Amino acid sequence: MASVTPLPLPQPSNSVPIGRHATGALSIDLDRLLAGRLLIQGSSGAGKSRTLRRIIEEAFDYVLTIIVDPEGEFGNLATHIGATSLRACELTADGLTAASARARAHRIPLHLDLTDLDPDQRIVKAAAFFAGLIGAPREHWAHTVLVCIDEGHLLAPHHAGSARDAETRRLGVATLTDLCARGRKRGIAPIIATQRLAKLSSSVTSELQNFLVGLNVFDRDIARAADLLGFSSRDAENLRKLAPGEFYAMGPAMAPIPLLAKIDPTITEHLGATPELQAAADLDEDEAARLLDLAALREMPAGARDGALSMKGLRALDSFLIDPAAAVAAAIVAALKRIAPNATTAADLAAHLAADREQVDAALDILSALNAIDTMPRGAHRIARLHARLRAKIGDVAVVGLA
């Protein structure tokens, strides 16, 4: 009996094409995506950010779209879809919560740029932004929103880097998990892209029901990806062989069983491409030292200002207490303690303390003589920070900037 090729099923009205597989087009049903969310995973170079870009280009006409951009790679896409860009480094956490809530209320597409933030602040400010989306009043839940998050492991890491940032990690994981878990009833459809499953919190991935899995090279990632797709250990080896732009698609919004698909090209150019190799500049040692301005970067030698201050014990304390710069020096130590282990400039210290630059330089000299700070000789670009000995004593102080 001759085989009969089944006719393609009609696509839902809110279905958008993103690629092609062996028997036809690969599309995403946006209505089912809202209920099931989506994970895009692939090693560096697999094409996950391009895939996220393709989905946004196709979906933004159907649903309010918000882009969360830790690496600053989606600015041109934000322009393409008419999204307002927010630079997180310029807004307070409370301001980001308010902005996301207002965008939801007025159906304004957003691009959250998280560049120029340290890892902790990136998590804190992203969590504040997500809180505004989750906390939207019930009358705004009908304003459905696609929340497209690149490099999700940076915002909800599987492990904290140290005991010091464990609390921040817990905040990021809890908020992103909450966005995924409670998003459906609140009209929120998260799409999370990540390089490595082993780096993204498992409590986040457990809330996702649709998957696009690309090239994987690490055993732990392959094992977790195979578990998501229902692959045997033999089939899992195929994940090592995928070309850039090839992904296994599975989930209620795409296909009931894994389909190998090639993602279609994007309209906008991807900004995160690896730069081409470039050789070092052809400079002699003297010219390199001049360009680096090494003379201005030398550490201030201990005891260079006043021999009396290099004395130990009570004699050194007495010399410090009667020095005219002692009051400013104490204020500088307090300021540097607040931002440890970071450094700051003498100019910023002068502005922060409302002191003139000469007073600050004199105080930095005395602190250097006492081995209380690391600094450089006087100059336009002088910087200072607490000595490592003191930093070790205040290791639990949060990293912040001077007010």
Side-chain angles (χ1 to χ4, degrees):
M1 182 175 178
S3 61
V4 177
T5 303
L7 294 174
L9 295 175
Q11 294 295 331
S13 59
N14 290 334
S15 182
V16 295
I18 63 167
R20 299 196 64 81
H21 53 80
T23 59
L26 174 66
S27 298
I28 292 182
D29 182 340
L30 296 178
D31 293 313
R32 291 186 175 181
L33 181 63
L34 181 65
R37 304 159 294 280
L38 171 64
L39 173 70
I40 306 172
Q41 188 273 326
S43 298
S44 179
K48 60 178 177 49
S49 295
R50 286 183 182 273
T51 300
L52 181 61
R53 183 179 288 265
R54 170 70 188 189
I55 294 171
I56 294 169
E57 289 177 351
E58 292 297 321
F60 81 94
D61 277 334
Y62 294 81
V63 60
L64 171 65
T65 302
I66 290 176
I67 305 169
V68 180
D69 184 7
E71 299 291 349
E73 297 178 353
F74 291 86
N76 61 340
L77 179 57
T79 301
H80 177 73
I81 70 171
T84 299
S85 286
L86 307 178
R87 283 183 53 79
C89 63
E90 298 173 355
L91 299 172
T92 65
D94 288 344
L96 289 169
T97 301
S100 61
R102 291 167 187 167
R104 186 86 188 274
H106 300 291
R107 293 180 295 153
I108 300 172
L110 292 180
H111 167 232
L112 179 63
D113 185 347
L114 294 168
T115 53
D116 299 324
L117 292 172
D118 65 51
D120 280 1
Q121 281 297 300
R122 185 169 52 208
I123 292 175
V124 168
K125 292 201 171 184
F129 182 82
F130 295 147
L133 297 176
I134 299 169
R138 183 179 293 271
E139 58 265 27
H140 297 155
W141 291 3
H143 299 173
T144 53
V145 56
L146 198 64
V147 183
C148 303
I149 304 166
D150 197 27
E151 307 295 356
H153 58 278
L154 298 179
L155 307 181
H158 189 62
H159 292 294
S162 66
R164 181 175 179 176
D165 61 17
E167 187 60 36
T168 303
R169 174 205 168 262
R170 282 194 289 270
L171 171 66
V173 170
T175 308
L176 191 51
T177 302
D178 197 32
L179 186 76
C180 295
R182 295 201 293 157
R184 181 181 65 83
K185 292 184 179 180
R186 287 163 172 75
I188 302 170
I191 299 178
I192 302 173
T194 185
Q195 287 185 10
R196 297 196 56 196
L197 285 169
K199 287 186 175 182
L200 179 64
S201 170
S202 56
S203 66
V204 174
T205 57
S206 67
E207 297 293 340
L208 308 175
Q209 299 177 12
N210 297 283
F211 308 101
L212 284 166
V213 178
L215 173 70
N216 275 274
V217 295
F218 295 102
D219 290 344
R220 288 179 62 191
D221 293 329
I222 290 172
R224 289 186 64 182
D227 184 56
L228 292 175
L229 296 172
F231 279 4
S232 66
S233 58
R234 180 175 180 179
D235 290 337
E237 286 301 305
N238 292 328
L239 296 174
R240 299 184 192 271
K241 306 171 186 177
L242 297 179
E246 291 183 342
F247 286 81
Y248 282 101
M250 189 185 76
M254 294 178 292
I257 60 173
L259 289 177
L260 178 59
K262 178 73 172 179
I263 304 301
D264 289 335
T266 59
I267 299 171
T268 56
E269 180 184 0
H270 179 52
L271 302 181
T274 303
E276 295 182 1
L277 296 177
Q278 189 174 29
D282 185 13
L283 302 172
D284 60 31
E285 187 174 353
D286 291 339
E287 179 66 4
R290 183 189 69 79
L291 292 173
L292 294 171
D293 197 13
L294 294 181
L297 302 179
R298 292 193 179 93
E299 185 173 354
M300 182 77 170
R305 177 178 179 271
D306 189 339
L309 293 174
S310 63
M311 295 182 291
K312 298 181 179 180
L314 292 176
R315 295 176 64 190
L317 177 60
D318 291 343
S319 298
F320 173 74
L321 291 175
I322 63 175
D323 194 290
V328 176
I332 287 175
V333 170
L336 293 179
K337 178 181 176 181
R338 286 182 52 215
I339 65 170
N342 291 351
T344 190
T345 65
D348 282 347
L349 284 169
H352 176 67
L353 300 175
D356 63 49
R357 181 60 186 274
E358 177 60 32
Q359 289 178 310
V360 169
D361 278 328
L364 291 176
D365 289 345
I366 191 173
L367 291 171
S368 176
L370 291 168
N371 286 328
I373 63 169
D374 298 322
T375 187
M376 302 182 301
R378 298 188 184 200
H381 304 293
R382 188 178 195 180
I383 63 172
R385 69 171 175 171
L386 282 185
H387 191 279
R389 181 187 74 259
L390 296 180
R391 297 200 304 271
K393 296 179 182 295
I394 56 170
D396 59 340
V397 176
V399 178
V400 295
L402 291 174

